[in-house]
């Protein structure tokens, strides 16, 4: 089967499927279980528009799950259909961040092992954080996929906060990037756009279930 799920969609389906299994384990009222299943399935289908018959059939197996073992099998089938992050190379990264003179190139070797919504690394010498996001081609094929690079300052907070991207609590870091255009109020300054995001970006990539916040952050910087 084609790769058709994006990382955040996979995460969302897994979250809903786990909810179904934990309800089955803890709730003896069949009607409640059926309602949770039905709601989970409709939420998942809403989050994955445009599925083909075969793809929908796979996703809809959520409704048949009964045990933790079946959940594992279901998750691994979905994972096989999840789009991997594009391979990145050093020249590509240099093109994404043309203004950075000495770009510290991160380890790119295990990039393909896990699906990711975004790839990020930090340069502790300069407190800079680099984020690469791959915007998937739109399903109407009007736009092709695109790699987007965002560079910003990075401050660890040693505090728990809610991450702007995945909306989960965890140790947060403040990431502030400079927008492409100057501030309308004081034309000498460039606008800065900042967000608290997970310090642990691997956890963030597992927790993220929608793209709205990440997309609007990128949008805001590109304005
Ligand atoms: Zn996060």
């Amino acid at each position: 089967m084609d790769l058709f799920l994006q990382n955040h969609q996979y995460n969302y389906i897994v979250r809903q499927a786990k909810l179904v299994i934990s309800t089955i384990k803890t709730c003896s009222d069949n009607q409640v279980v059926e309602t949770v299943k039905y709601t989970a399935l409709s939420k998942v289908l809403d989050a994955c528009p445009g599925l083909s018959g075969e793809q929908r059939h796979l996703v809809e197996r959520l409704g048949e799950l009964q045990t933790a073992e079946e959940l594992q099998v279901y998750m691994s089938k979905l994972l096989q259909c999840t789009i991997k992050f594009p391979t990145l190379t050093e020249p590509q990264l240099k093109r994404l961040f043309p203004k950075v003179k000495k770009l510290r190139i991160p380890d790119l070797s295990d990039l393909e092992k896990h699906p990711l919504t975004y790839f990020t690394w930090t340069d502790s010498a300069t407190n800079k954080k680099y984020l690469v996001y791959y915007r998937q081609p739109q399903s109407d094929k009007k736009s092709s996929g695109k790699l987007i690079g965002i560079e910003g300052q990075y401050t660890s907070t040693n505090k728990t906060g809610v991450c702007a991207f995945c909306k989960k609590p965890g140790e947060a870091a403040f990431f502030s990037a400079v927008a492409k255009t100057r501030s309308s109020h004081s034309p000498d300054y460039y606008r800065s756009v900042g967000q608290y995001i997970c310090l642990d970006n691997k956890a963030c990539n597992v927790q993220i279930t929608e793209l709205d916040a990440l997309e609007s952050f990128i949008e805001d910087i590109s304005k």
Side-chain angles (χ1 to χ4, degrees), residues 118 163-168 197-198 200 203-205 207:
Y118 66 90
C163 168
F165 296 163
C166 70
K167 319 237 167 56
K168 290 277 174 192
I197 62 169
C198 286
D200 180 349
C204 193
N205 266 291
Q207 289 167 176

Side-chain angles (χ1 to χ4, degrees), residues 5 21 87 106 132 198 210:
L5 288 173
I21 294 300
T87 325
V132 179
C198 286
E210 54 177 47

Side-chain angles (χ1 to χ4, degrees), residues 49-50 136-145:
Q136 297 288 335
Q138 299 304 301
S139 46
D140 55 12
K141 301 274 189 283
K142 273 184 190 154
S143 69
S144 53

Side-chain angles (χ1 to χ4, degrees), residues 12-204:
Y12 188 69
I13 302 174
V14 167
R15 190 180 293 178
Q16 292 297 326
K18 284 183 175 169
L19 176 70
V20 166
I21 294 300
S22 77
T23 310
I24 292 172
K25 263 191 196 159
T26 53
C27 176
S28 53
D29 187 336
N30 236 348
Q31 212 167 348
V32 173
V33 172
E34 285 311 309
T35 308
V36 170
K37 265 190 188 178
Y38 177 80
T39 312
L41 196 50
S42 32
K43 281 183 174 175
V44 157
L45 291 174
D46 277 352
C48 307
L51 298 183
S52 73
E54 197 186 2
Q55 293 162 350
R56 193 184 163 105
H57 185 68
L58 170 64
V59 171
E60 280 180 339
R61 285 193 207 162
L62 170 67
E64 297 153 22
L65 297 179
Q66 292 293 341
T67 65
E69 291 71 31
E70 286 169 4
L71 171 67
Q72 286 305 322
V73 175
Y74 178 66
M75 280 164 53
S76 76
K77 290 225 165 92
L78 291 179
L79 192 57
Q80 285 167 22
C81 299
T82 304
I83 304 161
K84 305 294 177 288
F85 203 77
T87 325
L88 295 175
T89 60
E90 188 171 334
Q92 244 175 340
L93 291 184
K94 285 185 171 158
R95 274 200 301 276
L96 282 173
F97 301 101
K99 287 181 190 154
V100 185
K101 288 206 180 78
K102 280 185 187 161
L103 185 67
R104 192 184 77 79
I105 302 296
D107 179 12
L108 301 168
S109 58
D110 63 349
L111 203 58
E112 295 122 70
K113 285 194 190 143
H114 313 278
L116 292 173
T117 297
Y118 66 90
F119 175 64
T120 182
W121 72 99
T122 51
D123 183 344
S124 51
T126 55
N127 270 344
K128 284 245 176 176
K129 185 175 185 67
Y130 302 92
L131 187 148
V132 179
Y133 172 61
Y134 180 67
R135 185 174 283 150
Q136 297 288 335
Q138 299 304 301
S139 46
D140 55 12
K141 301 274 189 283
K142 273 184 190 154
S143 69
S144 53
K146 189 184 174 197
L147 280 171
I148 298 165
I150 291 181
E151 163 201 351
Q153 286 296 320
Y154 166 84
T155 325
S156 351
T157 60
N158 297 318
K159 278 188 198 147
T160 301
V162 174
C163 168
F165 296 163
C166 70
K167 319 237 167 56
K168 290 277 174 192
E171 199 177 335
F174 190 68
F175 179 40
S176 80
V178 173
K180 293 219 164 77
T181 51
R182 289 169 203 262
S183 158
S184 55
H185 303 297
S186 41
D188 288 343
Y189 294 97
Y190 283 92
R191 263 183 328 118
S192 157
V193 182
Q195 290 285 13
Y196 285 96
I197 62 169
C198 286
L199 185 68
D200 180 349
N201 59 75
K202 283 201 176 113
C204 193

